[in-house]
């Protein structure tokens, strides 16, 4: 297992180098770069779900195809910015809090419990988890678009999930908070020396306005999706506080970078799968670069904001990666898996 993780980390970093993908701080060249982190980190473990693994963000990490991890996800970018060579990214698409201690079945094999990556000398851990617990993310994404035609100006999805006056999704998120808290506390036990950062979820829906061709929700359900995201991030933040960990807010800094934002500004892919950009309703490279930059600044004690120059750099790198991905031949099994994902998402 240790050998496998080392090879995976080396492969990811080598691939990044081959693609000439640099960390956001280097690519954007802001007027005043943030100071280096207060501590030097040598052993980094990244835990999380698909918002961490970054499915379809070019290019895939070939040793973890079932989890759809990208070589350009925020853990890899952050590791490059921090100059950490010992990085173990075990994030996996579809993971929830139970997969920290239990194995996870994927279309291309079984992923080991993510906590297997933690050691006593791990000194940095990022955790992005919670959206899949009780199927909250999947239920809202699967259900809301189907209900739009029934009341395009109303909020049929909110009505669907409200039973006897109780919002069932928000009730499940309240239970998720306890799960995330226990996970964060357990990380502290397994890796007592580690700085632990819980990563929040960026905005999918805009605070105002609609874009039904990209985000096919009823007009009134944009606000509902926004409120669900707020509740989920509140749960992550509360869990971090209860466990004595740090919380990174990506919701506020992603304002103007939701799925409705123009190409180059959007951090989130809309309803359509793009095999050269991102899985539907998931972060694009720009979102992964944004989270990496924000995490670096969090560790540095700098304000967690993203400048226009940085965003322009993220967009440029995204175009370069998409171009390289279009020219890259991937294993036949992985291509078949991508085709199944695309077909399933378009049903």
């Amino acid at each position: 297992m240790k050998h496998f993780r080392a090879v995976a980390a080396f492969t990811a970093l080598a691939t990044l180098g081959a693609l000439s993908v640099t960390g956001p701080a280097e690519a954007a060249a802001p007027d005043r770069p943030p100071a280096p982190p207060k501590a030097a980190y040598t052993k980094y473990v990244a835990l999380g779900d698909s918002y961490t693994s970054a499915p379809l963000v070019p290019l895939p990490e070939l040793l973890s195809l079932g989890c759809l991890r990208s070589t350009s996800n925020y853990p890899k970018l952050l590791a490059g910015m921090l100059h950490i060579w010992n990085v173990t990214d075990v994030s996996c698409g579809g993971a929830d809090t139970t997969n920290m201690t239990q194995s996870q079945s994927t279309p291309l094999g079984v992923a080991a419990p993510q906590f297997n990556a933690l050691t006593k000398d791990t000194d940095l851990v990022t955790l992005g988890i919670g959206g899949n617990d009780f199927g909250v993310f999947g239920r809202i994404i699967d259900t809301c678009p189907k209900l739009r035609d029934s009341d395009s100006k109303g909020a049929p999805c909110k009505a669907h999930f409200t039973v006897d006056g109780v919002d069932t999704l928000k009730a499940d998120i309240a239970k998720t908070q306890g799960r995330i808290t226990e996970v964060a506390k357990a990380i502290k036990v397994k890796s007592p020396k580690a700085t632990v950062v819980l990563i929040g979820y960026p905005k999918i829906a805009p605070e105002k306005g609609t874009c039904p061709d990209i985000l096919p929700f009823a007009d009134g359900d944009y606000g509902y999706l926004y409120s669900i995201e707020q509740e989920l991030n509140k749960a992550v933040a509360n869990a971090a506080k209860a466990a004595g960990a740090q919380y990174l807010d990506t919701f506020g800094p992603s304002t103007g970078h939701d799925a409705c934002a123009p190409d180059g500004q959007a951090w989130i892919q809309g309803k359509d799968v793009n095999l050269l950009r991102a899985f539907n309703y998931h972060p694009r490279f720009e979102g992964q670069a944004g989270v990496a930059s924000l995490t670096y600044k969090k560790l540095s004690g700098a304000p967690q904001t993203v400048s226009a120059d940085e965003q322009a750099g993220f967009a440029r790198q995204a175009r370069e990666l998409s171009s390289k991905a279009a020219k890259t031949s991937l294993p036949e099994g992985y291509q078949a898996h991508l085709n199944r994902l695309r077909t399933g998402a378009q049903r």
Side-chain angles (χ1 to χ4, degrees):
M1 176 58 73
K2 290 182 179 179
H3 174 70
F4 175 84
R5 291 200 302 266
V7 172
F10 177 81
T11 300
L13 290 171
T15 304
L16 279 173
L19 292 176
S20 299
V21 178
T22 60
E26 295 175 5
D31 294 336
R32 179 176 286 182
K38 298 175 182 178
Y41 303 101
T42 60
K43 195 168 186 180
Y44 169 33
V45 173
L47 312 171
D49 57 25
S50 57
Y51 267 59
T52 300
S53 66
L56 305 190
V57 172
L59 287 167
E61 184 185 280
L62 297 181
L63 295 180
S64 61
L65 296 180
C67 287
L68 292 172
R69 278 199 296 272
S70 170
T71 58
S72 302
N73 64 1
Y74 73 76
K76 310 297 196 311
L77 298 174
L78 177 63
M81 296 173 72
L82 293 171
H83 305 291
I84 302 174
W85 285 97
N86 192 339
V87 52
T88 306
D89 178 7
V90 290
S91 60
C92 194
D96 62 25
T97 54
T98 66
N99 299 122
M100 300 302 104
T101 56
Q102 299 173 25
S103 60
Q104 178 185 350
S105 295
T106 78
L108 297 178
V110 176
Q114 294 191 26
F115 270 13
N116 286 8
L118 298 172
T119 61
K120 291 293 184 182
D121 57 345
T122 298
D123 55 11
L124 177 63
V125 178
T126 57
L127 171 68
I129 205 73
N132 291 325
D133 281 73
F134 304 103
V136 167
F137 182 78
R139 284 154 65 196
I140 197 168
I141 293 303
D142 288 343
T143 303
C144 293
K146 296 174 183 176
L147 294 176
R148 183 178 187 276
D149 288 344
S150 67
D151 184 9
S152 62
K153 300 300 181 182
C157 197
K158 180 179 180 179
H160 174 85
F161 287 114
T162 302
V163 180
D164 296 329
V166 176
D167 188 314
T168 56
L169 291 184
K170 291 182 180 179
D172 284 338
I173 290 172
K175 292 184 287 185
T176 297
Q177 179 176 316
R179 287 185 171 193
I180 302 173
T181 300
E182 293 305 310
V183 167
K185 288 180 177 178
I187 293 171
K188 291 277 191 176
V189 173
K190 287 185 166 289
S191 301
K193 299 178 182 178
T195 295
V196 181
V197 185
L198 273 60
I199 310 294
Y201 290 85
K203 289 180 180 175
I204 301 174
E207 187 172 3
K208 296 180 181 179
T210 64
C211 58
D213 290 341
I214 296 172
L215 197 59
F217 283 45
D219 292 357
D221 281 327
Y222 276 74
Y224 181 58
L225 174 57
Y226 195 90
S227 72
I228 292 296
E229 293 181 85
Q230 286 179 311
E231 287 297 311
L232 180 57
N233 280 308
K234 186 187 301 182
V236 177
N238 288 342
K241 183 177 180 180
Q246 298 185 39
Y247 169 66
L248 177 70
D249 172 29
T250 68
F251 192 77
S254 61
T255 298
H257 301 297
D258 53 79
C260 291
D263 190 44
Q265 292 294 320
W267 286 11
I268 303 295
Q269 180 71 14
K271 66 179 178 64
D272 297 321
V273 174
N274 187 327
L275 297 181
L276 301 179
R277 293 298 304 276
F279 195 47
N280 58 338
Y281 302 111
H282 280 73
R284 296 175 170 183
F285 173 82
E286 292 94 327
Q288 292 293 304
V291 172
S293 176
L294 292 168
T295 308
Y296 182 89
K297 291 170 184 176
K298 177 79 175 180
L299 296 171
S300 305
Q304 284 100 73
T305 59
V306 173
S307 70
D309 285 345
E310 280 184 291
Q311 183 62 36
F314 302 162
R316 184 186 68 250
Q317 290 178 74
R319 291 191 297 270
E320 292 172 355
L321 278 172
S322 293
S323 177
K324 290 179 184 296
K327 302 172 185 176
T328 301
S329 297
L330 297 173
E332 185 175 333
Y334 183 71
Q335 287 283 14
H337 182 35
L338 294 186
N339 290 334
R340 286 194 295 271
L341 282 173
R342 178 169 53 184
T343 300
Q346 291 173 346
R347 285 174 182 165

